[in-house]
Amino acid sequence: PYAAQPPAPAATAKPAQAPLLRVVRQVGHADKIWVVRFSHDGKYVATGSADRSFKVWDVATKQLLLTYDRNEDHVTAFDLLPNENAALIGTRLGELYLLNLVTGERRTLEEKSDFMGVIVVSADGKRAISGARGSAKVWDLASGQAMTVLDLKGKPVAGAGFTPRGPVVTVKTKQGVEVLAVETGKRLYNYVLPKGMVETAVISHDGSRLIIGNFAPYTIELFDTSHYKKTAALPGQHYE
């Protein structure tokens, strides 16, 4: 039923074919990861490390897209701009700079100051909040100038965000955490934890929620930032 086949040609060297299964090794960081953040649209995730590098990954494909390793010290804070073509990056030495992710151009906003712990860019990409040890600033990204400087009197910054009531920072206290308006210094909310310790207090990317994580009693609590009313409490687990 098959047609006659022509005689086989003389054996020749064949090009190597790609295997059906391949192992692809992703090159990650070589030291402690200080910070992980999603892009505003959730398509990308970026990481900053003690190995002095900043990396951007594609969430859908799990592929590493970019590595920037020309930092003098640990990358401890950053945020991606909404257009995803730039990132505002801070280091352990307190440097703050705007990095163009397409051209690699770097524009310094602040020279060495103090440990940069928090950076948040507004949803329109025009302003940013930076939080270092003992101070918080609101920046105009077009001019690269600090619009507001708030002295936190040595209190450590836990989080920051642009909320319906303006730019805020969260700072840890001995009893819990305070939410402060950066532009006025006014205390908007005082969270007191009778027992245990607040581990973290962050503002959601859209500025609508405050999330507080506690160490012993191991709970996560969510608040509406319009009036700082608790909206949910998530119990945790304690392993002896």
Side-chain angles (χ1 to χ4, degrees):
Y2 301 101
Q5 300 297 314
T12 57
K14 296 183 179 179
Q17 296 184 5
L20 296 178
L21 297 177
R22 292 185 299 161
V23 177
V24 179
R25 179 175 178 267
Q26 295 288 4
V27 180
H29 290 285
D31 208 331
K32 171 182 176 179
I33 295 177
W34 277 103
V35 58
V36 177
R37 286 186 70 89
F38 280 95
S39 60
H40 286 252
D41 63 6
K43 293 181 180 179
Y44 307 97
V45 64
T47 53
S49 170
D51 66 8
R52 305 185 181 189
S53 72
F54 164 80
K55 295 177 182 286
V56 180
W57 310 77
D58 185 293
V59 173
T61 66
K62 314 297 189 299
Q63 297 296 309
L64 175 62
L65 303 178
L66 176 146
T67 296
Y68 182 81
D69 57 5
R70 298 178 183 176
N71 296 292
E72 292 186 28
D73 205 356
H74 301 192
V75 175
T76 54
F78 64 82
D79 199 6
L80 297 171
L81 272 64
N83 62 12
E84 295 150 8
N85 289 330
L88 187 61
I89 299 175
T91 72
R92 187 175 63 169
L93 293 176
E95 296 171 294
L96 181 67
Y97 63 91
L98 196 61
L99 177 66
N100 187 310
L101 301 180
V102 178
T103 66
E105 180 185 359
R106 172 171 167 165
R107 179 160 63 99
T108 300
L109 276 65
E110 187 166 35
E111 298 290 349
K112 299 174 184 178
S113 57
D114 208 338
F115 184 100
M116 195 67 66
V118 174
I119 293 174
V120 174
V121 175
S122 61
D124 59 10
K126 295 180 178 180
R127 295 181 296 165
I129 303 170
S130 67
R133 282 200 181 116
S135 68
K137 298 180 181 180
V138 177
W139 298 85
D140 176 81
L141 294 182
S143 67
Q145 299 297 311
M147 303 164 60
T148 307
V149 180
L150 177 63
D151 182 2
L152 300 176
K153 305 185 186 306
K155 296 177 181 176
V157 178
F162 291 89
T163 74
R165 300 174 68 176
V168 303
V169 291
T170 60
V171 296
K172 292 183 181 181
T173 66
K174 291 182 179 180
Q175 295 80 26
V177 67
E178 295 178 337
V179 181
L180 305 177
V182 182
E183 296 174 330
T184 64
K186 180 181 178 181
R187 186 172 70 183
L188 302 177
Y189 182 63
N190 184 30
Y191 175 87
V192 177
L193 187 65
K195 295 182 180 180
M197 179 178 66
V198 172
E199 187 68 23
T200 187
V202 299
I203 304 293
S204 61
H205 233 153
D206 63 4
S208 66
R209 287 165 291 176
L210 165 67
I211 304 100
I212 296 178
N214 299 322
F215 178 74
Y218 308 102
T219 58
I220 298 173
E221 297 180 81
L222 281 71
F223 299 80
D224 182 335
T225 55
S226 296
H227 305 287
Y228 292 97
K229 300 291 185 182
K230 186 188 295 188
T231 58
L234 309 176
Q237 293 180 314
H238 182 201
Y239 297 97
E240 296 293 344

